Amino acid sequence: MRVDVIANVDDIRSEDFIQKSAVVIDVLRATSTMITALAKGACGLLPVETVPEAQSKRSKHTFVGGERYYKKIPGFQAGNSPHDYMSEEVAGKLVVLTTSNGTRGLLKSQRASRLLAASFMNGTACASALANFERDVILLCAGCKNEFSLEDGLCAGMIIDALESHLGKPVRLNDLGAAMKLAYRQCRHNLYETVMEGASAKQLVKLGFAHDVEYCTGIDTVPVVPITKKDLILTPLY
Amino acid sequence: MRVDVIANVDDIRSEDFIQKSAVVIDVLRATSTMITALAKGACGLLPVETVPEAQSKRSKHTFVGGERYYKKIPGFQAGNSPHDYMSEEVAGKLVVLTTSNGTRGLLKSQRASRLLAASFMNGTACASALANFERDVILLCAGCKNEFSLEDGLCAGMIIDALESHLGKPVRLNDLGAAMKLAYRQCRHNLYETVMEGASAKQLVKLGFAHDVEYCTGIDTVPVVPITKKDLILTPLY
């Protein structure tokens, strides 16, 4: 099995996903939020690209949330904090979500055979799923503004580490994958403090979301794996 | 002091180097070769972009070498193996070098206040020089075919590690820099084996250059720092 880690959404083409398993990683905070919403009983997640598209989906069956560069979109029911998706309002609803980077990553990866959303919170569960799919894997770090994000790279390293444990042997890695596996192993016992050194975490702390960084760096705390079905709707993999 | 690690030559613009110290890293093999040539008495190094340009510089005062994707260029006096630059022929000559990625990196970085060439072989000496320059730093990983190369990223991590030791305090890092510092610290006692997992090292081994990988992963073995003067000619920093 081969695993390629991609540094950000612009570093890969849609057709590169064909016949692969793909995992989109946006630890702070889109994929952590998706995992939370499904764990709290949302019936599905629909990532959409634009604000008007999200607004047009508003109904009694949906819960519409999103952000642009860390800020809630006016008129939306929620922002992009996982804590916005823990209420009873979410249960039984289709969550419609538009975010700066995470949703772009999911849309880019649509041609994959299997498409998952991962963060530290479900990393080992994702790795088990990838092992079962028995296909080569692309771990797509959503990043921020076309740049690599530390926490997404470390999460890719965590998934590689868990995948190798699951398989009981090394997987073939691209160079960035090999570097991320090393980086994760160096900081695994110090993950929160390490992620706090990254640009996204610093920005979130500045905006009053330190509790989100803490929540999103919990390892294997919510072992729900969002996976796409038809129409790019993500539901839990059982 | 702020240090940004850039994953490959295409991820940065020339003007981003203005007023900064820049370090080009192409461990396998351009910058390791440059360090070797200067240590063996070459009077200077001239990186050039094209094969005809290199050929036009041929004279009794020059030694012309280069490669394209690991292969020596027909008619050139040497390829890009550091072992080609250890003979007496090199002493006293201006080495004219054109390589797939390393020379592109140097040409891209020309607008920096100070421009160095680094590999594991001179990493600590480079870090000391950067500390003395007292400017923000760009560590440009040359990479391969517009992709990140493991060994260049780890060398960036080594320079950050050495710089922080020299200064006695942490420097501000971009997210890729933080990841590379972690990765280097995880594998520093196992560097050759780790670099061998990368795509460039595998390709070099396949082509019969395993001894180059071993030579180029020696830490602080040749503490000569190539630095540009006028006309992009690199000479040793004393």
Side-chain angles (χ1 to χ4, degrees), chain A residues 8 11 147-151 154 172-187 194 197-200 202, chain B residues 8 11 147-151 154 172-187 194 197-200 202:
Chain A
N8 70 72
D11 277 6
E147 291 202 3
F148 169 80
S149 284
L150 177 61
E151 64 281 1
L154 293 175
R172 282 180 295 133
L173 295 168
N174 69 345
D175 279 26
L176 189 62
M180 290 308 128
K181 183 172 88 167
L182 291 166
Y184 172 71
R185 287 186 175 168
Q186 178 68 14
C187 71
T194 305
E197 290 169 23
S200 305
K202 282 180 188 156
Chain B
N8 71 71
D11 278 4
E147 292 202 3
F148 168 81
S149 284
L150 177 61
E151 64 280 1
L154 293 175
R172 282 179 296 134
L173 296 167
N174 69 345
D175 279 26
L176 189 62
M180 291 308 129
K181 184 172 87 167
L182 290 165
Y184 172 70
R185 287 187 175 168
Q186 178 68 13
C187 71
T194 305
E197 289 169 22
S200 304
K202 282 179 187 156

Side-chain angles (χ1 to χ4, degrees), chain B residues 41-152:
Chain B
C43 65
L45 301 160
L46 178 64
V48 299
E49 207 160 2
T50 67
V51 171
E53 207 179 342
Q55 277 163 333
S56 74
K57 304 284 181 190
R58 197 150 175 180
S59 81
K60 62 181 177 179
H61 304 295
T62 61
F63 183 85
V64 177
E67 52 89 50
R68 281 297 176 269
Y69 300 112
Y70 308 104
K71 290 190 182 137
K72 187 181 156 181
I73 298 162
F76 275 34
Q77 288 162 280
N80 189 29
S81 167
H83 291 90
D84 291 352
Y85 296 78
M86 291 178 184
S87 77
E88 282 185 13
E89 264 191 285
V90 167
K93 299 270 178 64
L94 176 69
V95 170
V96 179
L97 197 65
T98 181
T99 68
S100 311
N101 308 289
T103 43
R104 272 183 65 223
L106 288 163
L107 293 164
K108 187 75 165 271
S109 320
Q110 286 183 68
R111 297 172 76 176
S113 296
R114 309 278 192 147
L115 174 52
L116 313 179
S119 85
F120 292 112
M121 292 158 52
N122 71 351
T124 299
C126 279
S128 305
L130 294 171
N132 293 336
F133 298 156
E134 293 182 338
R135 285 182 181 273
D136 289 343
V137 174
I138 293 175
L139 301 178
L140 177 58
C141 299
C144 183
K145 296 182 185 171
N146 308 340
E147 292 202 3
F148 168 81
S149 284
L150 177 61
E151 64 280 1
D152 295 342

Side-chain angles (χ1 to χ4, degrees), chain A residues 35 39 120-126 219-226 236-238:
Chain A
I35 295 160
F120 293 112
M121 293 158 49
N122 71 350
T124 300
C126 279
I219 292 187
D220 291 331
T221 47
V222 184
V224 172
V225 178
L237 170 73
Y238 290 113

